[in-house]
Amino acid sequence: MFFLRSKRARRLAGCTALAVSAGMLLASPASAAAPAPRPTVEKPAPAASAPSKRAVPQSDAAPAARASAADPLPSRSDLDGDGKTDLFMRIGDELHTATTNSAGDEFFRDYDTSFVKDIIPLGDFERDGSGPEVLTVSKSGAVTLYGNATSSFGNYRWTGAGWNIYSKLFSPGDISGDGHADVLARTYSGELWVYTSTGNPYAPFHARKKIGNGWNAYDQLVGLGDSDGDGKGDFLARTPSGQLFYYGSTGNPGTVKPRKQVGQGWQQFNQIIGVDDDNGNGIPDLLARDDNGTLWEYFGTGKGYFTGRKQVGASGGWGGVGQFSGAGNVPSHGKEGLLARDKAGTLFWYSGYNAKLGKRYQISDTGGWAGSTIYEVNSLGRDANSDTLEIYQGKLYGGETSFGGGWGAINMIVGPGDLNGDGSGDFVARDRSGVLWLYRANQDGTALHARVKVGGGWGGYDRIVGSGDYTGDGLNDIVARAKDGSLYLHAGTGKAASPFKPRTRIGGGWNAFSKLVAPGDLNGDGKGDLLAVTSGGDVYRYSGTGVAGSPFKPKAKIGYGYQIYNGLY
């Protein structure tokens, strides 16, 4: 086991704080001329424990090798040369590896320290025997190819911009039959496109071709590899209700074979990961992680079917991983935890871990934030660390920097994440007349574009919260509680001019709770969760489903004693 702590500390606002402008985008960050009312404090990085070596469980009886593919399938991410798939993992805001043959390591990339939200292994893209290639996807929609990857390093090959039009990228392997791994991409509206490979890592893809529509019915898309022995890559698709479907390749990159259901009950897993052939029978296998952080392996039997599962490593040992390479979920990022202030004015931080709240950390001087007006928002800048904003005497502060006046009219700020598709975190603010305004941050979170009026009538809500995606389309949403206890969903559109769809009532009786909090994604499935706290201090988790009509599962109690806090954010 190894213990990881991010080198980039989680700052309370700090370097990703915002500059306020009611009109134009500021050309530079606001000055720090005005002293902040309180000192900057740091949040602890998410502590994560994960095995450095990926064990492969022995199957009870490995299925007979396929006659047409008796040799083991090549791995798309063999980093240590043993022929088996190794894993890239995002833990906090860093990349690490776990190998089957040796100790893993932190994974560094040529000339790049940007936050990576997803990782797609491609195998030996160049077919030169020099090691696998891997794609990374950034918050801003930049896709970068690294070659000759080892357990600790990747060489830069190519970057393409504009991929933020897609909610999910994945690779089924080679679907065209030319020997090079291809990439599939799904838009937010459910269109599926294919980018076939050129074999040239410096210009890796041909122009895209459309496969079809309606692919937003699935909450996970998993690149599998060749499961039916025809020499072409296949993939799996899971519905939010847990049905697992298999799609085979036709050899024509613009089409796939009709789907075939190969399983059910797969909703128990938050990430499903394609790992090629682990038992040497020439058929790709699967990993799957449950909400307790335990990893399981399913050995392939062909045509998308699998044996019973086998546990990989220690129970709960993989709960600290935010995103696995090759995982089928839509990755979440920007806020996975809870900020709490006790009645004395002391701030504490709880990181999300295995669908629960982890150990608390005191992150301020005792009593140092008594009476403050603060808000916790998804990461505004290039990192994945949530930011804390404070309104003090009509001015907005972030850390030690003042960002101007005029904020005394604001009585609520909610930061659900990117609302206009540019990758930076945004927030909405409600003024005392009930008008909601959208504030869009720049890429560094240091300036704002001109605010956009969302609309009036928001004064009828006593609580508005949001962090991440509640509807399964990859767009960030908010929920709001009316004074009669009704809860409404305002689904995101991804468009700044009208960032939310008309509201949908999703339940009543929510006035039974004294506090509602949006902690982000607590279990790593890519869906935002909701916390509700009673006046007696009991904490209930409402896990996200990814279904717009019923976005939350039934409540589950995960804590108690939270009545000591007068603010949860």
Side-chain angles (χ1 to χ4, degrees), residues 268-273 287-296 318-324 354 523-525:
Q268 65 184 295
F269 300 117
N270 52 55
Q271 292 188 34
I272 303 171
I273 307 136
L287 293 176
R289 185 183 65 180
D290 64 24
D291 282 354
N292 294 321
T294 301
L295 202 62
W296 303 87
W318 297 84
V321 178
Q323 187 72 13
F324 288 98
N354 286 3
N523 68 348
D525 65 355

Side-chain angles (χ1 to χ4, degrees), residues 90 270-271 289 291 321-323 329-337 351-356 378 467-470 518-530 541 543-544:
R90 169 164 55 81
N270 52 55
Q271 292 188 34
R289 185 183 65 180
D291 282 354
V321 178
Q323 187 72 13
N329 65 307
V330 177
S332 179
H333 56 87
K335 183 186 179 188
E336 282 78 49
S351 291
Y353 187 78
N354 286 3
K356 299 180 180 66
N378 270 43
S467 179
D469 171 30
Y470 301 129
D521 176 18
L522 294 179
N523 68 348
D525 65 355
K527 301 161 188 170
D529 304 315
L530 193 64
R541 182 193 69 239
S543 296

